[in-house]
Structures are given as structure tokens and as C-alpha cells.
């Protein structure tokens, strides 16, 4: 623009209706998804990895569904078919991909916004802290569900498709809600808990490091302590808890050294506590930022 | 320049009634009472004066005692409605990572409740107005300081606000960019039908663009009124600055004979203090008598900076308005 010259396309007062405050979290949700989709390394690559895992598992289901599996047994110790064990077994692959996606998307959300001053941008408008948290969480959850939910559901669909007859199909129908439950739980874990960690510190890098250390180091330590002290301690490890719930839902148990798993009740409580605490921390942090974020400190 | 139509009727832009805010033992706002109106209002005060706290209170972001109304809406209970009708340009950077200017402004419009298409159209218009039409698709991270200031202005404008709060809008700008920014601000009331509250430390900026001023000091209101009132315009306008075609000293002699006090500041200009009950007519009569051609005559006033320092140094309690 040259000095003294103002370009103006004209102006008309906006007289239309405005989106209600109660639904503005959907704008944040859409933006979160759009930014996730923007670059390859943040999400798309890992989505492809999840799709490939699903394809491999589906291939195993198709070509080896009648074979027996030694890693698992039925709850009474009986040997079971690969087809019955592949969905709970696949949970650990999805957990690994979910963790990577939580690093690239979720674990830096709030810290990144604190760092860039984005809270001033948000809260100078008619947004409430809960709109921000719900919008971000829902956006992350939708992205994460493409990894954690769609895969198990697809495998459940393949499992149903491989039924020998209608009777078997009907008998296998509960696989769908079970896969759904595992997917929803996994989505919640890998969307909410990293979001909470991103709210703990004001630095994006530290938030990422904190979440990684918690998930990998603290999780491994909990697993180890679970083996020697009490299996319930292992429930602190989120992937371990999800795996334990998946195995219980599908009626299988691990054999050998993998047999020590946290009890389902402990796993459920651990997930509930960690998810609730994470959402609480995120809300608390955002609420504080809302009150301090506009206009700086006086 | 387009002339802004003055606001007529309706509630005052900002109405404060014993507004108080304490942070522990610290008093950030000390029972501020004022009615603030105008086209471009300068919000002035040293660091810690309470300007930011006042802005937060007006946006309905912090609890307080007393009453604060913006456009007739109660900031305590109708903060959301106020924020839909107010645009805020922050002093510090407030961008979202990886976004282009047009994406940011569209997002800002949507967050303020505009439908997506409307937000997008207005984002382009606001960026065009702010002078970023060619760079609007580039990531903001690569922008210069001046361009970032323009984006901040555009994102504050995009949702069609009735009042704009601008926090140090010319901070860090080179002289040319500062000129352009001030020109954009000056034109806004007429072009966008909005009032502006300009919070700044740069008093020359206030002198150049504001018609009203609010001065705060240690949480208390020290002045609210027009710039003319702040600069101490006298009813008789007895202090004049006179420019002549030649020989200011000769005119000064003639004026002194007429009872005025004069100070020749250059061969072509002089300061004149008229005697009581005299008017500027005396200058013209003296000029005719001295054979000097007058090229310009204006009322000599205190600069905003001098007036600001005088108000801060003066006794506590509001002067001027409240208006």
C-alpha cells in the first residue's frame, strides 16, 4: 500500500443473524480438523499407517482366520482362533499410532496457544473457556477416532463378513459394539490426556516432552511395578489398561509373561480418572488464560 | 478524508459508575465514574494506570464492583453480546500458528458468529482495507511487524464491530508505517461506522487522531473530555500563533502598542497574547497599520503531551468531563 492511499471495497453494516454462542465450539472443532489435515506429518501419514495396520490385520483375518493362536487363550484357557483374537490384539498397534498422533496433534494444543498469544485472539470474542476446551477436544477426538475407532470397527466388519453362515453372523454381532467401545475409549484416552498435558506448561516443547515421558517412562514403570507388586498398579499405563479392557470384552486372555494384566475395574477407574483430570486441567488453565489474556497485565 | 457522522441519540459508548477492581491489596480501578463518548477516544495513562484492567472489565472478562456499560449493555452480565459488537486489536502478537491472514480473519469472523461465507467476504474486505490484499494468502509467520499490525487491525474489524479497542496500534512501526496506520485509524469511523478507543503511550498519535481523551493514573480517572478541553482551550482564545509574509517584528511592535504581549519566534511568525477583551481583530488592525500581510492565524494551545503531564501532576480526581 502506498502512503496515504486507502483501498476500500466498500462497507455495509452486517444485519444478518449471528451463530449462537452455545454452538461456536463447532467453529473451533472445524478449525482443529482443518489444521490437522494441513500438513502430511501431523496426521495424514499416521492415518495411512493406521489404514495399513488395519489392512494387514484384515488380511490375516481373511487368510488365517481358522488357524489357532498361541498368544491368547479363551478365559478358561482354551486355545482360540486368530479371528477371535485379532481385534483385541490389534489394539496395541492402534495405541502406538494413537500415541504418535497425540504427539503431533494433541500434546501441544493449549501450550501452543499460550505461546502464540492465541488466547487473546479467542477470548476477545464471545467464547467461553468451555467452548474452547470442548471445541479442541472434539476436534482432536474426531481426528483420533479415525485411528482408534475406525480401524477396530473395520476389523469387526471384516470379521462379520467372514462368517460361515447367518447363525454365525448373528452370534458374532456383539463384536461390533465391543469394537465400538474399545475405539471410543481409545479415542478418549489419546485425545483428552495429551490435551491435559498440553495445559500443564506454557511451553509447547515442554508439554510434548512431559506427555512423552509420562506415557513412555511412567507407563513402563507402572507396568513393571504391576508385575512385581500388584497388577492394579499397571493400570496407570493407559495402553495397558485399554488392552486389558479389550481382552476382557472379547473374552480372551494373554498367555505366558503377558498374562499379568491390570484388573478391568482398575483399568476403567484409571482411564476415567486420567481423562477427567486431563479435561479438568485443560479447563482450569484456559479459564485462567481467559482472565489474564486480554490486554496483558495492568 | 471522509467525515464521520457524529453518533446521535442512544446510550453513551461507555458508561462507568463507581467501577472498582482490586487484585488483593492492589487497587487496579478506583471507583471510576465517567460517561465516555466520541469518535476516536484516546485512553491514556502510564504503566499500571489501569487501562488494561479497564479494557478487561469493559469486555466482561473480569469480575468487578460498580457498573460498567458498553453501548448500553452491562459488561458484567452481557459480556458476550458486548464482545460481538466490539473489536479488539491487542498490543502483543495474538496469531494462530500456521495460518495465513485470510484464514485468521475468516476464523475470527466465524468465532464472532458470522456465517462462514460472510466471514470470508468480510475477511477479504478487511484485509484489503488494511492494505494486505497482495499478501493475504501468505503465512503470517513470515510477515513484517507492520504487516502483523495490519492483520491485527483486520481481525478486529472483520465482524463489523461498533467499537474498536486498539491497544498500542503503532508500536514498533517505522515512521511511514505509523503514518499509514494512523491514517487507517482516522478513516475508520467514517468508513466502517464505528467508534475507536485508542490505548497508547504515544501522545503525538493521540494529538493527531483523537477527538476525546480519557486519562487514568493509579487506577483513578484523572480526565475525561474532548482533546480541546484537555489542551485547555480558553473561551476567549487569547493566545494566538500568527504567520506573516514578512517582517514579524514590525507586526509585533504594532501589537505591543495595542496592549498585546508578543514573542517573535521567526522572521515570519510570532506568538501573541491578546489583552483582556481583545479579539483576533486586533491582529488584523495592527497588521494593516504596520503594513504586514498576515498569512495565517491560529489559537495557540498546549500540546497533548504537556496537557497530559499537567493532568497527571495535578490533584487527584477527574477534571474536564465527564462527558
Amino acid at each position: 500500500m502506498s502512503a496515504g492511499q486507502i483501498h476500500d471495497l466498500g462497507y455495509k453494516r452486517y444485519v444478518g443473524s449471528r451463530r449462537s454462542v452455545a454452538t461456536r465450539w463447532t467453529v473451533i472443532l472445524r478449525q482443529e480438523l482443518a489444521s490437522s489435515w494441513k500438513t502430511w506429518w501431523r496426521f495424514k501419514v499416521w492415518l495411512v499407517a493406521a489404514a495399513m495396520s488395519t489392512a494387514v490385520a484384515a488380511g490375516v483375518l481373511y487368510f488365517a482366520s481358522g488357524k489357532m493362536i498361541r498368544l491368547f487363550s479363551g478365559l478358561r484357557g482354551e486355545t482360540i482362533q486368530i479371528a477371535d483374537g485379532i481385534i483385541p490384539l490389534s489394539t496395541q498397534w492402534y495405541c502406538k499410532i494413537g500415541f504418535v498422533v497425540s504427539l503431533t496433534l494433541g500434546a501441544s494444543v493449549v501450550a501452543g496457544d499460550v505461546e502464540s498469544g492465541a488466547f487473546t485472539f479467542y477470548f476477545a470474542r464471545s467464547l467461553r473457556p468451555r467452548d474452547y476446551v470442548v471445541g479442541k477436544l472434539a476436534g482432536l477426538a474426531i481426528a483420533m477416532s479415525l485411528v482408534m475407532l475406525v480401524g477396530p470397527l473395520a476389523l469387526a466388519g471384516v470379521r462379520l463378513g467372514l462368517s460361515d453362515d447367518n447363525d454365525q453372523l448373528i452370534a458374532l454381532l456383539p463384536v461390533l459394539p465391543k469394537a465400538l467401545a474399545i475405539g471410543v475409549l481409545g479415542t478418549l484416552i489419546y485425545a483428552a490426556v495429551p490435551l491435559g498435558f498440553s495445559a500443564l506448561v506454557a511451553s509447547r516443547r515442554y508439554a510434548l516432552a512431559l506427555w512423552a515421558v509420562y506415557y513412555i517412562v511412567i507407563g513402563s514403570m507402572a507396568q513393571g511395578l504391576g508385575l512385581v507388586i500388584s497388577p492394579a498398579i499397571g493400570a496407570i499405563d493407559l495402553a495397558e489398561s485399554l488392552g486389558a479392557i479389550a481382552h476382557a470384552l472379547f473374552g480372551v486372555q494373554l498367555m505366558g509373561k503377558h498374562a499379568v494384566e491390570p484388573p478391568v475395574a482398575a483399568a476403567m477407574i484409571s482411564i476415567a480418572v486420567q481423562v477427567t483430570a486431563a479435561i479438568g486441567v485443560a479447563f482450569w488453565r484456559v479459564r485462567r488464560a481467559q482472565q489474564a489474556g486480554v490486554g496483558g497485565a495492568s | 478524508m471522509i467525515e464521520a457522522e457524529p453518533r446521535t441519540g442512544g446510550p453513551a459508548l461507555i458508561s462507568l459508575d463507581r467501577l472498582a477492581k482490586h487484585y488483593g491489596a492492589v487497587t487496579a480501578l478506583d471507583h471510576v465514574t465517567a460517561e465516555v463518548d466520541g469518535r476516536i477516544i484516546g485512553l491514556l495513562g502510564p504503566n499500571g494506570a489501569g487501562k488494561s484492567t479497564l479494557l478487561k472489565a469493559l469486555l466482561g472478562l473480569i469480575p468487578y464492583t460498580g457498573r460498567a456499560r458498553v453501548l448500553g449493555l452491562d459488561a458484567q452480565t452481557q459480556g458476550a453480546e458486548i464482545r460481538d459488537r466490539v473489536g479488539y486489536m491487542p498490543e502483543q502478537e495474538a496469531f494462530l500458528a500456521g495460518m495465513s491472514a485470510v484464514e485468521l480473519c475468516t476464523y475470527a469472523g466465524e468465532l464472532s458468529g458470522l456465517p462462514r461465507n460472510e466471514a470470508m467476504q468480510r475477511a477479504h474486505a478487511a484485509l484489503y482495507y488494511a492494505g494486505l490484499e497482495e499478501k493475504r494468502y501468505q503465512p503470517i509467520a513470515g510477515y513484517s511487524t507492520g504487516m502483523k499490525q495490519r492483520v491485527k487491525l483486520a481481525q478486529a474489524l472483520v465482524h463489523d464491530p461498533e467499537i474498536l479497542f486498539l491497544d498500542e496500534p503503532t508500536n514498533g512501526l517505522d515512521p511511514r508505517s505509523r503514518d499509514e496506520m494512523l491514517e487507517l485509524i482516522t478513516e475508520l469511523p467514517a468508513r466502517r461506522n464505528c467508534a475507536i478507543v485508542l490505548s497508547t503511550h504515544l501522545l503525538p498519535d493521540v494529538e493527531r487522531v483523537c477527538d476525546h481523551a480519557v486519562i487514568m493514573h493509579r487506577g483513578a480517572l484523572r480526565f475525561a473530555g474532548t482533546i480541546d478541553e484537555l489542551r485547555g482551550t480558553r473561551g476567549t482564545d487569547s493566545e494566538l500563533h500568527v504567520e506573516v509574509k514578512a517582517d514579524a517584528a514590525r507586526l509585533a511592535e504594532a501589537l505591543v502598542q495595542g496592549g498585546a504581549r508578543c514573542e517573535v519566534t521567526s522572521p515570519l511568525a510570532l506568538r501573541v497574547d491578546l489583552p483582556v477583551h481583545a479579539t483576533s481583530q486586533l491582529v488584523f488592525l495592527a497588521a494593516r497599520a504596520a503594513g504586514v500581510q498576515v498569512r495565517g492565524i491560529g489559537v495557540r494551545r498546549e500540546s497533548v503531551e504537556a496537557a497530559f503531564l499537567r493532568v497527571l501532576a495535578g490533584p487527584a480526581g477527574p477534571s474536564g468531563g465527564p462527558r
Side-chain angles (χ1 to χ4, degrees):
Chain A
M1 182 179 124
S2 62
Q5 187 182 7
I6 290 176
H7 303 275
D8 198 351
L9 296 175
Y11 165 78
K12 270 198 317 194
R13 173 69 71 196
Y14 179 67
V15 291
S17 61
R18 287 183 191 254
R19 180 192 292 269
S20 86
V21 175
T23 62
R24 290 189 196 176
W25 63 271
T26 58
V27 177
I28 298 177
L29 179 159
R30 207 174 55 218
Q31 171 56 33
E32 192 61 30
L33 283 176
S35 72
S36 304
W37 203 251
K38 227 173 181 179
T39 53
W40 269 95
W41 286 102
R42 287 196 77 195
F43 185 60
K44 287 182 199 169
V45 163
W46 314 115
L47 188 60
V48 169
M52 286 169 65
S53 299
T54 306
V56 168
V60 172
L61 264 178
Y62 183 76
F63 290 110
S65 60
K67 296 196 169 135
M68 298 298 152
I69 187 167
R70 288 183 180 279
L71 187 62
F72 283 107
S73 73
L75 288 176
R76 292 184 199 88
E78 72 275 21
T79 308
I80 61 169
Q81 291 184 349
I82 281 180
D84 295 323
I86 203 80
I87 296 175
L89 183 68
S90 68
T91 305
Q92 59 180 289
W93 311 332
Y94 293 120
C95 282
K96 287 182 173 62
I97 299 170
F99 171 64
V100 175
V101 174
S102 76
L103 284 176
T104 58
L105 290 187
S108 60
V109 168
V110 178
D113 279 346
V114 171
E115 229 173 39
S116 68
F119 283 123
T120 301
F121 173 84
Y122 281 113
F123 296 123
R125 298 181 165 76
S126 297
L127 275 178
R128 300 160 297 183
R130 67 170 175 267
D131 298 328
Y132 175 90
V133 174
V134 170
K136 291 283 183 184
L137 184 61
L140 287 173
I142 289 175
M144 195 59 78
S145 70
L146 296 178
V147 172
M148 299 300 297
L149 177 62
V150 172
L153 275 180
L155 289 180
V158 172
R159 178 75 186 94
L160 292 178
L162 293 174
S163 304
D164 296 331
D165 50 41
N166 284 345
D167 290 341
Q168 194 186 14
L169 177 70
I170 290 166
L172 285 173
L173 272 179
V175 168
L176 270 178
K178 288 174 185 174
L180 184 71
I182 294 302
V184 168
L185 265 183
T187 299
L188 205 55
I189 288 170
Y190 290 99
V193 182
L195 183 73
F197 272 88
S198 79
L200 279 177
V201 286
S203 157
R204 198 174 167 275
R205 283 183 187 175
Y206 288 149
L208 280 173
L210 203 60
W211 164 236
V213 165
Y214 178 77
Y215 186 86
I216 297 170
V217 180
I218 306 290
S220 301
M221 286 169 65
Q223 262 192 53
L225 290 172
L227 286 174
V228 295
I229 299 174
S230 161
I233 296 175
I236 294 171
D237 183 56
L238 288 163
E240 187 79 356
S241 287
L242 189 64
I245 293 168
H247 300 155
L249 269 178
F250 283 87
V252 296
Q253 64 180 12
L254 291 169
M255 294 171 70
K257 64 174 183 175
H258 302 289
V260 182
E261 283 190 310
V264 174
M268 292 291 285
I269 290 170
S270 168
I271 290 172
V273 166
Q274 293 188 59
V275 167
T276 308
I279 294 172
V281 166
F283 182 78
W284 167 78
R285 176 77 182 191
V286 173
R287 174 81 188 153
R288 275 189 56 193
Q290 182 215 21
Q291 295 197 343
V294 176
S298 183
Chain B
M1 179 188 287
I2 297 175
E3 283 301 316
E5 287 181 22
R7 279 167 44 88
T8 51
L13 277 182
I14 296 166
S15 170
L16 310 172
D17 183 13
R18 298 189 60 73
L19 178 67
K21 174 70 185 172
H22 301 273
Y23 292 108
V26 178
T27 301
L29 292 173
D30 189 7
H31 299 93
V32 177
T33 298
E35 293 275 323
V36 181
D37 237 323
R39 199 175 56 101
I40 304 181
I41 302 146
L43 177 57
L44 314 175
N47 287 335
K51 305 190 296 289
S52 297
T53 305
L54 178 61
L55 286 183
K56 287 179 198 175
L58 293 176
L59 289 168
L61 293 175
I62 52 170
Y64 53 80
T65 59
R67 207 180 65 170
R69 298 182 82 83
V70 179
L71 296 166
L73 299 168
D74 189 304
Q76 195 90 279
T77 58
Q78 294 171 291
E81 289 95 317
I82 288 172
R83 292 195 293 276
D84 273 350
R85 293 170 66 179
V86 170
Y88 178 65
M89 176 184 175
E91 178 185 3
Q92 69 275 28
E93 285 198 4
F95 301 121
L96 279 75
M99 274 193 173
S100 68
V102 77
E103 286 169 337
L104 184 91
C105 290
T106 303
Y107 189 36
E110 284 191 90
L111 287 175
S112 294
L114 298 183
R116 184 163 174 75
N117 283 344
E118 186 74 29
M120 199 175 283
Q121 284 174 17
R122 285 180 181 267
H124 284 282
L127 287 165
Y128 201 75
Y129 179 78
L132 284 169
E133 62 272 21
E134 288 163 11
K135 311 269 187 183
R136 61 190 190 270
Y137 292 107
Q138 294 180 8
I140 296 168
Y143 282 9
S144 66
T145 306
M147 289 161 72
K148 284 179 179 174
Q149 290 293 87
R150 289 170 190 273
V151 177
K152 286 198 278 180
L153 179 65
Q155 61 82 30
L157 271 178
V158 72
H159 60 290
D160 194 17
E162 290 165 59
I163 307 182
L164 267 178
F165 290 162
L166 308 181
D167 201 352
E168 306 285 0
T170 56
N171 245 12
L173 297 184
D174 60 62
R176 182 180 162 179
S177 302
R178 178 170 164 262
D179 271 357
E180 290 172 359
M181 179 59 77
L182 289 176
E183 194 176 336
L184 289 172
I185 292 168
T186 309
E187 292 282 312
L188 271 171
R191 291 181 184 267
R192 290 291 184 273
N193 193 21
C194 62
I196 293 173
V197 176
L198 176 68
S199 172
T200 181
H201 290 94
L202 301 175
L203 298 174
D205 289 1
V206 174
E207 189 146 18
R208 181 164 156 189
V209 302
C210 294
D211 52 36
H212 283 66
V214 172
I215 298 179
M216 301 196 60
H217 188 41
R218 293 176 183 160
L221 181 74
R222 299 298 285 268
F223 175 87
T226 66
I227 292 290
D228 281 345
E229 285 168 343
L230 175 65
R231 295 163 82 188
T233 305
R234 290 153 183 79
T236 56
D237 284 348
S238 63
E239 296 174 4
L240 303 178
H241 176 80
V242 180
E243 290 176 9
V244 294
K245 190 172 182 184
D247 210 352
R250 191 139 49 97
L251 175 58
E253 277 174 31
L255 281 165
V256 168
Q257 285 173 10
R261 284 190 298 136
C262 295
E263 182 191 346
V264 178
T265 53
S266 80
L268 303 179
L270 66 160
R271 288 180 185 169
V272 180
D273 285 355
L274 296 174
V276 180
H277 303 310
T279 67
S280 55
Q281 188 67 22
L282 177 68
V283 176
F284 293 110
L285 290 172
R288 190 190 295 169
V292 176
Q293 187 178 339
V294 174
R295 303 194 80 171
I297 185 166
V299 177
R300 217 174 73 224
R301 290 172 192 161
E302 201 177 11
S303 70
V304 167
E305 190 164 351
F308 174 74
L309 293 172
R310 173 175 49 77
V311 168
L312 289 194
S319 60
R323 297 180 63 84

